[in-house]
Amino acid sequence: MIVSYNWLKELVKLNVSAEKLAEEMSLYSIEVESFKKLVNATNLVVGEVIEKVPHENSDHLNVCMVNFGSYDLQIVCGAPNVEKGQKVIVALPGAVLPGITIKKSTIRGVESNGMICSLAELGLEAKYIPAEYANGIYVLGSDAVPGTSALEYLCFDDYTIELGLTPNRMDLLSMKGVANDMKAMYNTELIPLEYELH
C-alpha cells in the first residue's frame, strides 16, 4: 500500500512532518518499506508561451518567449509540441531535476533562460505519462497561473509512504483505513468528508 502524505492530511488532522510520520509509523503501526518525495525536482514554475519562432540555426528548435506573471524569459525548446498560448512547466536556472541542474545557456547562438519540461524530465515513469505527451512537453490546464509553483499545481509536492502490509493488517488497504490508524496513533480527529449530491 502506497500512502500519499497530502491525501492523508485531508482525511485526518496531523501535526507532524512526512518524515516524522514515516518514522513513527514504523515504530507504532506497521513497517514502512520506503519513503520518498513524489517528484525530486526544484524551482519548477508555471509559464505561458506568449511567442514561438523557429530557431535561425536549427531545423527542430524553437525560440519561445515565456511569461511568468511579472516578467518574461526567452527559452530555447526542442519539443515538437510546444505552441504559443500553452501553460507549461518551466525549470528556471538553478532548478535541479533528476540527473541535471538547469543553467542559463546559449544554444546555437541563442540565449536560453531555462527549460520547458516534459513529465519524464521530472522523473515520472512512462506508465504515468499520458500518451499524447509521451514525446513532448506536458501542457498544463488553462487555470494554471504563470509564476506559481508547477509542482503545487500538479499536486506533485507530496511524499509517498509505502507500507509493508501483513495478513493481519488488511485494514490498511485503503486511505480511510490508514487515516483511522493515524487517528488512534496520534489521538487526533478524522476530517469529515464532504460529498456533492447530483
Side-chain angles (χ1 to χ4, degrees):
M1 173 70 179
I2 297 178
V3 174
S4 157
Y5 173 68
N6 285 351
W7 190 2
L8 190 60
K9 288 193 301 180
E10 293 177 14
L11 300 173
V12 62
K13 292 181 180 177
L14 291 174
N15 190 22
V16 61
S17 70
E19 294 90 343
K20 190 74 173 169
L21 178 67
E23 179 185 323
E24 292 183 343
M25 284 180 87
S26 273
L27 291 173
Y28 305 116
S29 177
I30 195 160
E31 182 184 354
V32 171
E33 292 187 348
S34 70
F35 168 78
K36 63 182 179 180
K37 287 183 77 170
L38 184 60
V39 170
N40 205 11
T42 64
N43 206 15
L44 298 176
V45 180
V46 175
E48 181 175 5
V49 180
I50 56 174
E51 182 180 300
K52 169 195 156 185
V53 295
H55 193 300
E56 59 185 14
N57 298 318
S58 170
D59 60 358
H60 70 282
L61 296 175
N62 291 293
V63 180
C64 300
M65 191 59 69
V66 183
N67 174 262
F68 297 93
S70 59
Y71 62 97
D72 300 337
L73 289 175
Q74 178 176 281
I75 298 175
V76 176
C77 181
N81 64 329
V82 67
E83 294 295 343
K84 180 180 176 180
Q86 291 174 336
K87 303 282 183 70
V88 294
I89 306 163
V90 179
L92 295 174
V96 178
L97 301 177
I100 185 172
T101 299
I102 304 302
K103 299 176 183 175
K104 182 177 176 179
S105 60
T106 300
I107 300 174
R108 297 195 184 184
V110 176
E111 182 181 279
S112 184
N113 298 285
M115 181 173 78
I116 301 175
C117 298
S118 68
L119 292 178
E121 287 162 334
L122 304 188
L124 262 67
E125 294 180 50
K127 64 183 176 182
Y128 299 123
I129 300 172
E132 63 187 298
Y133 301 116
N135 298 309
I137 59 167
Y138 185 71
V139 180
L140 304 175
S142 59
D143 60 335
V145 179
T148 60
S149 167
L151 288 181
E152 286 182 18
Y153 175 81
L154 292 164
C155 297
F156 287 172
D157 59 332
D158 198 0
Y159 293 86
T160 60
I161 303 167
E162 184 175 3
L163 307 180
L165 294 183
T166 53
N168 65 323
R169 293 307 313 265
M170 293 300 104
D171 59 309
L172 301 181
L173 275 173
S174 70
M175 288 297 297
K176 193 171 179 181
V178 175
N180 278 319
D181 204 50
M182 296 305 96
K183 173 185 180 265
M185 195 169 104
Y186 289 109
N187 192 25
T188 186
E189 298 175 14
L190 295 176
I191 298 171
L193 295 174
E194 295 181 8
Y195 296 98
E196 286 187 23
L197 297 176
H198 298 283

